[in-house]
């Protein structure tokens, strides 16, 4: 598998304040689904937005590299970057209810992508838009094209957003908590749809979520983030059955429906909350909340160490393989 | 597979104007009924208020010629002013339905004729100032928001604050001094040149020439209002999620700004236009007086001070009618601009 998206040592910050995201590296290959998990506020959305080049004006990429099919995103001129968005990468957001323009019909919002990137005419774009709505399994697509977002349910709107993201057949799809705002039954439908589209279109899918169950269901690899950086990464089954970072183990244990990993439930839930970027402790950023913390953890920040299997962990004292604490 | 989930976004799912016509039609009919009700209430209310005030039409007549007490009593009987108020009210309403406003003693003519004579003056004044100030103000606001925080924005904001803070009559008098008295570029007062017998296009340009200053004076304050609302509204809309979606699909900034954002940002400006019409129609007394324009505000002012109750009530009726119709049109425009408008 060749890497489609490579993020290397990314640092995102606001002015001269403490960086919000730091030492963040991850990659997504074609045809691969990567689950990016972590508590809210740990920097998942900012990471995604920096890939799209859509960080809010007050934020910026301070260091590191983001490459999409070899093109370095930060060094591209705005015009080139604009073409990559929509053409090569698409993004789906958390709030389907507000993600669409309320005063424009769904059809216009889909066709304008095709007309913009592909130079299609009105009729041709409309035909393709109907195909797209069919692709995301919206019934009666011809009639739906003329509807306005408020006439659709949340699930339907999210399907429209997916159709927009896929309009120009991008190679990378970023989905930022695409189902969080939806009802449970609709969540399952949307996830199934995403997974199917990912397979059919051979997409690289970066799926951001805080639901480990979702990751287990659809992802090939998992990247666990804590306070702005990656703490553990590897194949989904390997990491979830065998967490090596105490934070990952805690996340698994905190799942309401019990744990995947035998024995992980024995770990107490993680107490406290994610520190704000300026309040992150020196050394290991997780040590304040870690049951296993020792003086060593305060002295120096652990590096992300990768085992030959590809399973990587950022911890001085990782949980033993095979038998979590 | 059909979604049956209710959307939790903005309450009930509404059937848009495109899908079914009948809710839209029912909406229009209901609004018309409301408008008629408002008119009846306004007229009953103002009639009673006028009757409460001391003095009546015959007193007004007595001011212009000498009348004996007997003559006055005879006149009161003739105009039905000796009847109980409720009878007078019913008679008045019956006449109103036929657009008969009664006699205007200070003009010695039917009040309807007087009003029809003056309505165009105010109508032209209001239409010109509303459209001009809305267009100029919106352009200013959009330019300011597009350059938010940059020198252009600061300059425009300062300029708009100046327009906002200077009373329009001061601007009127200053313009009059400079452009009429000093430079002699435009007529100092009046609606058109009297006694020149202009017709057609010549008359049009003559009137336009006369109205440059008053329209400008009525615009300045509202340009500032539209500019400020437009800027704030654009900046607010640009923060919304759908703008991020639009950027995410690789649209150009121009399309995002002038198509996606502006269409949403226009809504409060349209509301403002409705308010502006309501407040200028009859509220432009000061400017009408300064520029000697025989408009509705001027007419109401004279009617009040000379106790010409029929004329006053007629002006109230016509002004309210215009305001009600304009608001109705604004509602229809809203329906076109915003598909979410609840037709309930
Ligand atoms: N525009 C911004 N300016 C400053 N801080 C921001 C901005 N957007 C997000 N943040 C902060 O960055 C941190 C990470 O945010 P985010 O990436 O949205 O987290 P999440 O993992 O929940 O998606 C949060 O602490 C948030 O408050
Ligand atoms: Mg987020």
């Amino acid at each position: 598998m060749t890497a489609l998206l490579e993020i290397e040592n990314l640092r995102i910050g606001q002015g001269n304040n403490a960086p919000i995201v730091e030492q963040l590296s991850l990659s997504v290959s074609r045809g691969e689904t990567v689950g990016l998990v972590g508590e809210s506020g740990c920097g998942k959305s900012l990471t995604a937005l920096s890939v799209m080049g859509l960080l809010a004006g007050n934020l910026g990429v301070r260091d590191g590299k983001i490459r999409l099919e070899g093109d370095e995103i930060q060094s591209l001129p705005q015009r080139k970057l604009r073409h990559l968005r929509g053409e090569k990468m698409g993004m789906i957001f958390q709030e389907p209810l507000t993600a669409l323009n309320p005063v424009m019909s769904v059809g216009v919002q889909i066709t304008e992508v095709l007309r913009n990137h592909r130079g299609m005419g009105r009729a041709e774009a409309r035909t393709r838009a109907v195909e797209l709505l069919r692709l995301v399994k919206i019934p009666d697509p011809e009639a739906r094209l003329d509807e306005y977002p408020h006439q659709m349910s949340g699930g339907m709107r999210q399907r429209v957003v997916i159709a927009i993201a896929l309009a120009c057949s991008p190679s990378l799809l970023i989905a930022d908590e695409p189902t969080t705002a939806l009802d449970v039954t609709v969540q399952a439908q949307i996830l199934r749809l995403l997974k199917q589209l990912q397979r059919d279109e051979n997409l690289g899918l970066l799926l951001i979520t805080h639901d480990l169950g979702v990751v287990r269901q659809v992802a090939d690899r998992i990247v666990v983030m804590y306070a702005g950086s990656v703490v553990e990464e590897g194949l989904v089954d390997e990491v979830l059955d065998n967490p090596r970072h105490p934070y990952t183990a805690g996340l698994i244990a905190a799942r309401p429906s019990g744990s995947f990993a035998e024995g992980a439930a024995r770990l107490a839930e993680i107490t406290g909350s994610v520190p704000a970027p300026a309040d992150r402790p020196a050394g290991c950023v997780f040590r304040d909340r870690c049951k296993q913390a020792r003086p060593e953890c305060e002295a120096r920040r652990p590096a992300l160490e990768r085992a030959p299997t590809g399973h990587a962990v950022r911890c001085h004292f990782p949980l033993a393989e095979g038998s979590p604490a | 597979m059909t979604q049956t989930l209710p959307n939790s976004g903005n309450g009930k799912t509404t059937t848009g104007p495109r899908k079914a016509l009948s809710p839209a039609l029912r909406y229009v009919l209901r609004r018309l009924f409301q408008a008629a009700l408002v008119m009846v209430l306004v007229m009953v209310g103002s009639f009673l208020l006028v009757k409460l005030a001391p003095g009546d039409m015959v007193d007004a007549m007595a001011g212009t010629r000498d009348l004996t007490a007997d003559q006055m009593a005879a006149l009161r009987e003739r105009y039905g002013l000796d009847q109980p108020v409720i009878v007078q009210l019913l008679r008045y309403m019956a006449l109103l339905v036929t657009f008969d406003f009664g006699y205007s003693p200070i003009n010695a003519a039917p009040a309807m004729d007087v009003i029809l004579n003056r309505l165009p003056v105010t109508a032209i004044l209001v239409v010109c100032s509303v459209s001009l100030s809305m267009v100029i103000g919106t352009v200013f606001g959009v330019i300011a928001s597009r350059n938010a925080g940059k020198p252009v924005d600061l300059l425009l904001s300062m300029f708009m604050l100046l327009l906002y803070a200077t009373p329009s009559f001061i601007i009127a008098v200053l313009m009059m001094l400079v452009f009429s008295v000093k430079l002699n570029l435009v007529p100092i007062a009046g609606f058109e040149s009297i006694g020149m017998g202009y017709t057609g296009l010549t008359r049009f340009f003559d009137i336009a020439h006369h109205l440059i200053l008053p329209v400008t004076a009525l615009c300045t304050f509202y340009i500032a209002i539209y500019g400020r609302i437009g800027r704030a509204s654009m900046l607010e809309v640009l923060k919304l999620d759908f703008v991020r979606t639009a950027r995410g699909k690789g649209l150009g900034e121009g399309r995002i700004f002038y198509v996606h954002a502006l269409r949403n940002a226009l809504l409060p400006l349209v509301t403002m236009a409705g308010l502006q019409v309501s407040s200028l129609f009859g509220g432009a007394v000061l400017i009408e007086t300064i520029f000697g324009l025989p408009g509705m505000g001027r007419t109401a002012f004279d009617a009040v001070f000379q106790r010409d109750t029929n004329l006053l009530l007629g002006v109230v009726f016509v002004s309210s009618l215009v305001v009600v119709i304009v608001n109705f049109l604004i509602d229809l425009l809203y329906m076109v601009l915003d598909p979410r408008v609840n037709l309930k």
Side-chain angles (χ1 to χ4, degrees), chain A residues 44-65:
Chain A
K44 305 182 297 292
S45 295
L46 293 189
T47 304
L49 290 173
S50 68
V51 173
M52 296 290 289
L54 289 178
L55 281 177
N58 61 336
L59 300 172
V61 170
R62 300 278 172 257
D63 195 14
K65 291 198 165 64

Short mmCIF file of all heavy atoms in Angstrom, two decimals, chain A residues 44-65:
data_model
loop_
_atom_site.label_atom_id
_atom_site.label_comp_id
_atom_site.label_asym_id
_atom_site.label_seq_id
_atom_site.Cartn_x
_atom_site.Cartn_y
_atom_site.Cartn_z
N LYS A 44 -8.48 16.43 17.24
CA LYS A 44 -8.81 15.61 16.07
C LYS A 44 -9.32 16.46 14.91
O LYS A 44 -8.86 16.33 13.78
CB LYS A 44 -9.89 14.56 16.44
CG LYS A 44 -9.53 13.67 17.61
CD LYS A 44 -10.60 12.63 17.88
CE LYS A 44 -11.96 13.19 18.30
NZ LYS A 44 -11.98 13.84 19.63
N SER A 45 -10.26 17.35 15.23
CA SER A 45 -10.83 18.17 14.15
C SER A 45 -9.79 19.10 13.55
O SER A 45 -9.74 19.29 12.34
CB SER A 45 -12.00 19.00 14.68
OG SER A 45 -13.04 18.16 15.08
N LEU A 46 -8.95 19.68 14.40
CA LEU A 46 -7.93 20.60 13.88
C LEU A 46 -6.98 19.85 12.95
O LEU A 46 -6.55 20.39 11.92
CB LEU A 46 -7.15 21.24 15.03
CG LEU A 46 -7.94 22.21 15.92
CD1 LEU A 46 -7.00 22.94 16.87
CD2 LEU A 46 -8.72 23.20 15.08
N THR A 47 -6.64 18.62 13.31
CA THR A 47 -5.78 17.83 12.44
C THR A 47 -6.43 17.65 11.07
O THR A 47 -5.80 17.87 10.03
CB THR A 47 -5.53 16.44 13.08
OG1 THR A 47 -4.98 16.64 14.38
CG2 THR A 47 -4.58 15.61 12.23
N ALA A 48 -7.73 17.30 11.08
CA ALA A 48 -8.45 17.10 9.82
C ALA A 48 -8.51 18.39 9.02
O ALA A 48 -8.24 18.40 7.81
CB ALA A 48 -9.85 16.59 10.11
N LEU A 49 -8.83 19.49 9.70
CA LEU A 49 -8.95 20.77 8.99
C LEU A 49 -7.62 21.21 8.41
O LEU A 49 -7.57 21.83 7.35
CB LEU A 49 -9.51 21.84 9.94
CG LEU A 49 -10.98 21.65 10.32
CD1 LEU A 49 -11.39 22.64 11.40
CD2 LEU A 49 -11.88 21.80 9.10
N SER A 50 -6.52 20.89 9.10
CA SER A 50 -5.22 21.31 8.57
C SER A 50 -4.91 20.54 7.29
O SER A 50 -4.26 21.07 6.39
CB SER A 50 -4.12 21.13 9.62
OG SER A 50 -3.92 19.76 9.86
N VAL A 51 -5.38 19.30 7.19
CA VAL A 51 -5.17 18.55 5.95
C VAL A 51 -5.93 19.21 4.81
O VAL A 51 -5.42 19.37 3.70
CB VAL A 51 -5.65 17.08 6.11
CG1 VAL A 51 -5.60 16.35 4.77
CG2 VAL A 51 -4.81 16.36 7.15
N MET A 52 -7.16 19.66 5.10
CA MET A 52 -7.97 20.31 4.07
C MET A 52 -7.50 21.74 3.79
O MET A 52 -7.97 22.37 2.85
CB MET A 52 -9.43 20.37 4.52
CG MET A 52 -10.11 19.04 4.69
SD MET A 52 -10.40 18.18 3.12
CE MET A 52 -11.70 19.17 2.38
N GLY A 53 -6.59 22.25 4.63
CA GLY A 53 -6.19 23.65 4.48
C GLY A 53 -7.29 24.58 4.91
O GLY A 53 -7.45 25.67 4.38
N LEU A 54 -8.09 24.17 5.88
CA LEU A 54 -9.26 24.95 6.29
C LEU A 54 -9.19 25.40 7.75
O LEU A 54 -10.22 25.71 8.34
CB LEU A 54 -10.54 24.12 6.10
CG LEU A 54 -11.00 23.83 4.69
CD1 LEU A 54 -12.24 22.97 4.69
CD2 LEU A 54 -11.27 25.13 3.95
N LEU A 55 -7.98 25.46 8.30
CA LEU A 55 -7.87 25.92 9.69
C LEU A 55 -8.42 27.33 9.82
O LEU A 55 -8.30 28.13 8.89
CB LEU A 55 -6.40 25.91 10.13
CG LEU A 55 -5.81 24.56 10.52
CD1 LEU A 55 -4.34 24.73 10.86
CD2 LEU A 55 -6.56 23.95 11.69
N ALA A 56 -9.04 27.63 10.96
CA ALA A 56 -9.53 28.99 11.19
C ALA A 56 -8.36 29.97 11.07
O ALA A 56 -7.21 29.61 11.31
CB ALA A 56 -10.16 29.07 12.57
N GLY A 57 -8.69 31.22 10.72
CA GLY A 57 -7.66 32.22 10.44
C GLY A 57 -6.65 32.44 11.55
O GLY A 57 -5.49 32.75 11.30
N ASN A 58 -7.09 32.25 12.82
CA ASN A 58 -6.18 32.52 13.93
C ASN A 58 -5.22 31.36 14.19
O ASN A 58 -4.29 31.48 14.96
CB ASN A 58 -6.99 32.83 15.20
CG ASN A 58 -7.87 31.67 15.61
OD1 ASN A 58 -8.24 30.83 14.79
ND2 ASN A 58 -8.18 31.60 16.88
N LEU A 59 -5.47 30.22 13.55
CA LEU A 59 -4.62 29.05 13.76
C LEU A 59 -3.72 28.82 12.55
O LEU A 59 -4.03 29.27 11.45
CB LEU A 59 -5.49 27.81 13.98
CG LEU A 59 -6.45 27.85 15.16
CD1 LEU A 59 -7.37 26.65 15.13
CD2 LEU A 59 -5.67 27.89 16.46
N GLY A 60 -2.64 28.10 12.77
CA GLY A 60 -1.79 27.82 11.63
C GLY A 60 -0.94 26.58 11.87
O GLY A 60 -0.75 26.17 13.02
N VAL A 61 -0.46 25.98 10.77
CA VAL A 61 0.47 24.86 10.88
C VAL A 61 1.84 25.48 11.17
O VAL A 61 2.36 26.24 10.36
CB VAL A 61 0.49 24.04 9.59
CG1 VAL A 61 1.63 23.03 9.62
CG2 VAL A 61 -0.84 23.35 9.39
N ARG A 62 2.40 25.18 12.34
CA ARG A 62 3.66 25.81 12.74
C ARG A 62 4.87 24.98 12.34
O ARG A 62 5.97 25.50 12.21
CB ARG A 62 3.68 26.03 14.26
CG ARG A 62 2.56 26.92 14.76
CD ARG A 62 2.91 28.40 14.59
NE ARG A 62 1.75 29.21 14.90
CZ ARG A 62 0.97 29.78 13.98
NH1 ARG A 62 1.26 29.64 12.69
NH2 ARG A 62 -0.08 30.48 14.32
N ASP A 63 4.65 23.69 12.18
CA ASP A 63 5.78 22.83 11.86
C ASP A 63 5.24 21.53 11.28
O ASP A 63 4.06 21.22 11.42
CB ASP A 63 6.60 22.53 13.14
CG ASP A 63 7.96 21.94 12.79
OD1 ASP A 63 8.35 22.02 11.60
OD2 ASP A 63 8.61 21.40 13.70
N GLY A 64 6.12 20.77 10.63
CA GLY A 64 5.72 19.47 10.13
C GLY A 64 5.29 19.51 8.68
O GLY A 64 5.26 20.58 8.05
N LYS A 65 4.94 18.34 8.16
CA LYS A 65 4.59 18.25 6.73
C LYS A 65 3.29 17.48 6.57
O LYS A 65 3.01 16.53 7.30
CB LYS A 65 5.70 17.49 6.00
CG LYS A 65 7.00 18.23 5.91
CD LYS A 65 7.87 17.64 4.83
CE LYS A 65 9.00 18.57 4.48
NZ LYS A 65 9.94 18.78 5.61
#
